[in-house]
Amino acid sequence: MPIPPVLRALLEATGPSGYETAPARVFAQAASSFAEVTTDVMGSVWARVRGTADGPSVAIVGHSDEIGLIVTHVDDSGFLRFIGIGGWDAQILVGQRVVVATREGVVPGVIGKKPIHLLSADDRKKVAELKELHIDIGAKDAEEARKLVRVGDVAVIAGEPLELPNGRVVSRSMDNRLGCYVAYEAARLVAEAGGAAGDVVAVAAVQEETTFGGASTTAYTLRPDVAIVVDVTHATDAPGIDANELGSHPLGCGPVLERGSNIHPGVFELLAETAQAEGIAFSIQASGRHTGTDLDAIHKTRGGIPSGGVGLPLRYMHSPVEMVELADIERAAALIAAFARRLSGETPFTR
């Protein structure tokens, strides 16, 4: 199964939190063929499919930002020092190729570390810290490096999406360009089917990995009657992951429906009923306190927004080799589109 072109373009766009212009542009251009597109001052993009009656409005939210690196200093030898944007396991970064996004375009580089031959016996046993790493862009000195890169420029790991057997795909930025793509595709399916009773708004929200800023401001402005947040969740079929702790959500299981303290029970039940009616396989994930997604901000915006969570099983989260099964993505989009079309002015959202 090939990667859908819009998803590929989203995955290839460089956009750490606060610097989401490139993926936002991809989302806006793709959605403009069937929806009214708006970009707000935060950088979030909304694609609205107008309703056909007086039904409830639905926001389908995926976040467009990814984890990345930000340059904090260019040292006197021309090496770039950095800190992380979002949650990094530092040992994943050692030896990676990166691209630095600058005002003049992309600058390639590599992440360097003292070679193992030069480490003491004790240091060989330690996991590297970010402060011990640097980005080498091949500059001969500080003057050359500072002409190319400024403090505050951001970087992501380099690498093209890779198609594997069984409809599985590997890429960086799956978290959460997948959610953006599902929001886009669900809204497209609604438009293709002639619309829903109420407005359906696909949202590519910014800054989830750092502040939930885009979700908070978008939910406040849009004030939807119901929100569906789409984000990745941990696939539990990889070595070392305990299904007794997280539940069973292997690749290929379909969308993962969230239940828990922040989830509106009526929204969950309607998602589950829709999946059963449409013959879409799904699993259920429980959260005792918070979901760690934009839903945590959206559900308590203004006077409260009934919210549901749809997870996409993913292996190797926050790495350059995040893996997904494309069939799960298609099923999630189909489920949310069908959910939106089932809503009417009589659909209750009381607890």
Side-chain angles (χ1 to χ4, degrees):
M1 181 184 299
I3 303 171
V6 172
L7 177 56
R8 178 179 287 276
L10 286 167
L11 292 172
E12 291 176 345
T14 298
S17 300
Y19 296 75
E20 300 94 344
T21 303
R25 185 182 299 115
V26 171
F27 185 91
Q29 289 176 346
S32 64
S33 63
F34 62 83
E36 301 168 12
V37 175
T38 303
T39 301
D40 69 8
V41 296
M42 294 287 286
S44 298
V45 182
W46 318 332
R48 185 187 301 271
V49 177
R50 291 288 179 181
T52 59
D54 192 24
S57 60
V58 184
I60 310 167
V61 183
H63 69 84
S64 61
D65 56 317
E66 61 182 301
I67 60 172
L69 312 171
I70 186 167
V71 176
T72 57
H73 179 60
V74 182
D75 71 22
D76 291 339
S77 297
F79 298 112
L80 314 183
R81 305 294 175 161
F82 63 87
I83 57 175
I85 299 175
W88 277 104
D89 180 352
Q91 61 187 323
I92 285 175
L93 290 169
V94 176
Q96 295 283 356
R97 300 183 183 191
V98 297
V99 291
V100 185
T102 78
R103 58 184 168 182
E104 300 298 332
V106 167
V107 174
V110 297
I111 296 181
K113 174 183 175 290
K114 183 188 288 187
I116 190 170
H117 317 69
L118 306 180
L119 296 176
S120 68
D122 287 340
D123 285 342
R124 292 184 185 188
K125 300 174 185 177
K126 297 177 182 177
V127 175
E129 299 182 44
L130 288 183
K131 64 183 180 182
E132 298 170 329
L133 307 178
H134 59 270
I135 296 175
D136 188 340
I137 58 172
K140 63 183 179 181
D141 54 29
E143 182 180 2
E144 183 179 8
R146 290 167 185 161
K147 287 180 179 177
L148 294 170
V149 176
R150 295 182 296 168
V151 170
D153 285 342
V154 294
V156 298
I157 291 177
E160 297 294 316
L162 175 65
E163 295 177 1
L164 297 177
N166 302 305
R168 295 174 178 183
V169 174
V170 167
S171 181
R172 52 153 265 277
S173 78
M174 291 282 193
D175 181 6
N176 184 34
R177 305 289 161 66
L178 291 178
C180 290
Y181 177 75
V182 168
Y184 153 85
E185 180 65 5
R188 189 192 67 78
L189 290 171
V190 169
E192 184 178 71
D199 288 2
V200 175
V201 187
V203 178
V206 298
Q207 300 180 25
E208 189 269 356
E209 297 290 353
T210 53
T211 66
F212 296 154
S216 298
T217 53
T218 294
Y220 187 90
T221 302
L222 287 180
R223 202 169 190 168
D225 295 307
V226 60
I228 303 297
V229 174
V230 189
D231 209 329
V232 296
T233 192
H234 297 287
T236 56
D237 55 352
I241 297 180
D242 188 359
N244 291 318
E245 178 183 355
L246 299 177
S248 179
H249 317 296
L251 294 185
C253 73
V256 182
L257 306 187
E258 189 100 18
R259 293 191 71 192
S261 303
N262 293 350
I263 310 297
H264 191 283
V267 176
F268 163 79
E269 295 295 351
L270 186 55
L271 280 168
E273 291 170 9
T274 302
Q276 291 165 348
E278 298 291 322
I280 298 172
F282 67 94
S283 65
I284 300 174
Q285 176 173 278
S287 58
R289 186 184 178 96
H290 55 77
T291 68
T293 72
D294 280 330
L295 189 149
D296 296 336
I298 291 172
H299 87 282
K300 58 184 180 182
T301 299
R302 288 189 179 267
I305 296 173
S307 301
V310 175
L312 308 170
L314 182 84
R315 291 179 184 168
Y316 321 123
M317 195 180 296
H318 281 203
S319 82
V321 292
E322 294 175 331
M323 183 184 296
V324 69
E325 189 163 318
L326 290 175
D328 291 334
I329 310 309
E330 290 186 344
R331 293 167 185 156
L335 168 59
I336 296 169
F339 167 89
R341 286 176 52 77
R342 285 168 66 95
L343 297 178
S344 71
E346 286 72 47
T347 304
F349 291 115
T350 55
R351 282 184 179 263

